[in-house]
Amino acid sequence: MLERRVNLDGRAATAEVPRITVGGLRMAALDLEATADFMIEATDRSHRIGRPLYLTSANGEVLARCSTEPQTERLFRAADLINADGQPLVAASKLQSWFPLPERVATTDLFHVVARKAEAAGRTFYMFGASEAENEAAVKRVQNLYPKLRIVGHSHGYLRGEALRAKVEEINALAPDFLWVALGVPNEQAFVEEYTPLLTNVGVIKTSGGLFNFLSGSRARAPQWMQRLGLEWAWRTWLEPRRLFWRYLTTNPRAIYLLFSRNRALNR
């Protein structure tokens, strides 16, 4: 696999994580708790690799885009670890592999598990992305939920050029254990690729998609029964039909094809 060859330090740091290829991408076969434990451990000074460990997430849309957009595929394959943020990926793995994905690891759920563990372990957060209002509201809610969590800084994601570079240098000086980057696919993955060399004091970067919108309360999660059935995309389309109808109409059929044609049993 391509990511094995180009990402040797990341491969060494994640060597003990079991993986399964689903829809063409190698996914971490870890549940929510194990993923959060791995992230906490990765921020320990004794486990640092001289750059941030880069974690991202994939769902059906991502699989479809990676199969048709070479640049997006390259950005995802550069990740040290990819979580399965989509119930259809879990279901497909259970049908086709003797070692399936244990559960969906949605970033909106993972954030809270990591936050609780970070409170106990004394780890620090930086929250980067979304609009200024959304970012402020998300940070305020997180502080209310986790009063002992140390959030060393936060910023909206609408920065460009020198302003963005200065913000990256500021983040590095603050040296957060976790940098949550919520810029959307593939902008957040491109951010990681470009600015990782300037973020040597950061422990883990986790791309986060629309996480801050859910944290702020401006966007509601789908009902649990829809999440369990892999229908969260339908819920989101109902909420934002103009933005998402065509996207899912074009990516869902391709994702289904990939889920049943590009899978592979346990590998590392």
Side-chain angles (χ1 to χ4, degrees):
M1 298 293 288
L2 178 61
E3 64 267 39
R4 288 187 175 192
R5 296 195 296 268
V6 302
N7 199 16
L8 297 179
D9 53 351
R11 183 186 175 194
T14 60
E16 298 304 312
V17 178
R19 294 174 173 84
I20 176 175
T21 297
V22 180
L25 290 179
R26 295 172 68 238
M27 308 284 178
L30 298 174
D31 61 19
L32 269 172
E33 284 288 330
T35 302
D37 286 338
F38 172 83
M39 292 173 68
I40 293 292
E41 184 177 351
T43 56
D44 189 279
R45 293 292 172 181
S46 64
H47 291 90
R48 298 291 181 94
I49 60 174
R51 65 160 175 83
L53 204 66
Y54 162 32
L55 278 66
T56 193
S57 303
N59 54 20
E61 180 194 347
V62 167
L63 296 181
R65 293 184 64 173
C66 284
S67 72
T68 59
E69 302 172 8
Q71 174 74 350
T72 300
E73 180 187 34
R74 184 181 63 78
L75 290 170
F76 272 85
R77 290 194 182 280
D80 298 310
L81 215 59
I82 303 176
N83 298 127
D85 189 353
Q87 190 60 32
L89 279 67
V90 177
S93 74
K94 290 182 184 296
L95 289 173
Q96 300 184 61
S97 174
W98 61 270
F99 191 90
L101 296 167
E103 67 175 336
R104 178 191 180 197
V105 181
T107 306
T108 42
D109 298 321
L110 179 64
F111 179 90
H112 294 285
V113 182
V114 175
R116 290 194 296 270
K117 293 179 182 293
E119 270 191 312
R123 302 293 198 264
T124 58
F125 278 19
Y126 191 104
M127 297 172 61
F128 178 74
S131 68
E132 186 169 5
E134 287 287 293
N135 187 282
E136 290 278 357
V139 170
K140 183 176 181 180
R141 181 158 182 260
V142 172
Q143 289 173 327
N144 289 335
L145 288 171
Y146 309 105
K148 295 181 181 179
L149 179 65
R150 294 171 56 206
I151 301 177
V152 296
H154 64 95
S155 172
H156 67 85
Y158 290 85
L159 297 169
R160 300 293 183 271
E162 287 304 313
L164 177 55
R165 188 179 181 88
K167 181 60 65 176
V168 168
E169 292 175 350
E170 175 188 306
I171 293 171
N172 192 56
L174 291 168
D177 293 306
F178 295 98
L179 171 58
W180 300 85
V181 178
L183 302 174
V185 175
N187 294 329
E188 56 198 20
Q189 288 76 24
F191 171 91
V192 175
E193 178 183 63
E194 182 172 357
Y195 291 107
T196 285
L198 300 180
L199 292 167
T200 55
N201 293 327
V202 174
V204 169
I205 298 178
K206 177 66 179 75
T207 62
S208 307
L211 169 66
F212 296 175
N213 302 114
F214 294 109
L215 290 175
S216 71
S218 67
R219 187 180 300 168
R221 294 288 302 276
Q224 283 294 326
W225 69 267
M226 295 188 78
Q227 294 184 44
R228 288 194 298 270
L229 292 176
L231 295 175
E232 194 160 12
W233 63 269
W235 171 263
R236 293 184 62 196
T237 302
W238 180 69
L239 292 177
E240 301 180 83
R242 290 186 179 181
R243 187 172 74 90
L244 297 177
F245 176 79
W246 182 252
R247 177 193 298 183
Y248 289 130
L249 181 66
T250 56
T251 59
N252 279 5
R254 187 164 189 84
I256 292 171
Y257 165 76
L258 293 168
L259 285 174
F260 288 95
S261 64
R262 296 190 184 180
N263 290 356
R264 187 180 301 174
L266 177 68
N267 55 77
R268 292 194 182 271

